[in-house]
Amino acid sequence: MRVLVVEDHEELALTVAAGLRREGMAVDVVLDGADALERAQVHHYDVVVLDRDLPGLHGDEVCRALAASGNPARMLMLTAAGTIDDRVTGLGIGADDYLPKPFAFAELVARVRALARRSQQALPTVLVHGGLRLDPATRVATRDGRRLPLSPKEFAVLELLLAAQGAVVSAEQLLERGWDEFADPFTHTVKVTISRLRRKLGDPPLIETVPQAGYRI
């Protein structure tokens, strides 16, 4: 999944982003509301983690603008103010969930994952194709009972291919959904990751290359 973290406290923003990346997510970071709106127009995000108390363009305005534009990303609003009225207001302007600061990081991860599931089409909790089984919640993938030692990017690519349910997924789509803003679109990152993933999956081959189109399982 791809997540946008909008938080003006740079140290906190980078800490949250680093933690989410360790959980296998692709994460972009912006420090103000105007940049958040610009970034959300360019990239597809599953979840926006939005600090409500942003200077300049307030988090409420960012939330309203994203909701009004029909942006499909789910919004998790963070704020130091945790009263019931604050939560009701935040949810009323378009936020999908609300988490008061300070928060336990494990809870943040759980809420982001729950929102990401809501932002996507309904899929089985565990993705299965023949003897291949992938559980996004536990971050475990197996083939014929053998646990696959996948890197976070390999896991993300495999999850995207399985979630496509036989449809072709282009290299551009894999790069957009599996990597963050620092990925160079002109590199062979996706091709190299696919090659490593194929080796780890073993025989018989599961990932098909569709010329001039992309990949599918």
Side-chain angles (χ1 to χ4, degrees), residues 82-97:
T83 68
I84 295 297
D85 287 343
D86 289 320
R87 298 182 191 187
V88 170
T89 300
L91 295 171
I93 61 175
D96 297 280
D97 200 359

Side-chain angles (χ1 to χ4, degrees), residues 21-198:
R21 289 182 184 122
R22 284 195 297 271
E23 295 293 323
M25 305 178 198
V27 186
D28 296 343
V29 175
V30 294
L31 304 178
D32 62 68
D35 282 348
L37 292 179
E38 181 178 341
R39 196 67 61 87
Q41 292 177 346
V42 176
H43 299 293
H44 173 94
Y45 293 104
D46 297 292
V47 179
V48 176
V49 179
L50 175 64
D51 178 29
R52 186 177 186 187
D53 305 309
L54 294 171
L57 187 63
H58 194 270
D60 286 359
E61 296 307 313
V62 176
C63 187
R64 286 192 185 95
L66 290 175
S69 70
N71 192 292
R74 300 293 182 174
M75 283 176 275
L76 173 59
M77 188 169 281
L78 307 177
T79 183
T83 68
I84 295 297
D85 287 343
D86 289 320
R87 298 182 191 187
V88 170
T89 300
L91 295 171
I93 61 175
D96 297 280
D97 200 359
Y98 196 96
L99 187 61
K101 298 177 182 177
F103 50 81
F105 186 73
E107 182 178 5
L108 174 66
V109 171
R111 289 176 182 262
V112 169
R113 289 198 185 282
L115 289 176
R117 288 194 295 270
R118 289 166 54 187
S119 75
Q120 301 164 355
Q121 67 182 49
L123 290 170
T125 304
V126 177
L127 302 174
V128 178
H129 178 86
L132 181 61
R133 179 184 176 90
L134 182 145
D135 187 341
T138 61
R139 310 293 297 167
V140 172
T142 60
R143 185 174 188 186
D144 299 328
R146 173 179 61 89
R147 183 161 179 167
L148 303 172
L150 304 182
S151 72
K153 293 306 179 191
E154 292 162 356
F155 190 96
V157 168
L158 183 58
E159 183 177 0
L160 289 166
L161 291 175
L162 286 171
Q165 299 179 317
V168 176
V169 184
S170 70
E172 291 77 13
Q173 289 172 314
L174 291 173
L175 193 66
E176 169 71 18
R177 301 298 303 281
W179 278 262
D180 58 29
E181 60 190 327
F182 297 109
D184 184 348
F186 300 104
T187 66
H188 296 290
T189 298
V190 171
K191 185 180 293 185
V192 170
T193 302
I194 289 286
S195 177
R196 291 174 178 167
L197 182 56
R198 280 175 167 149

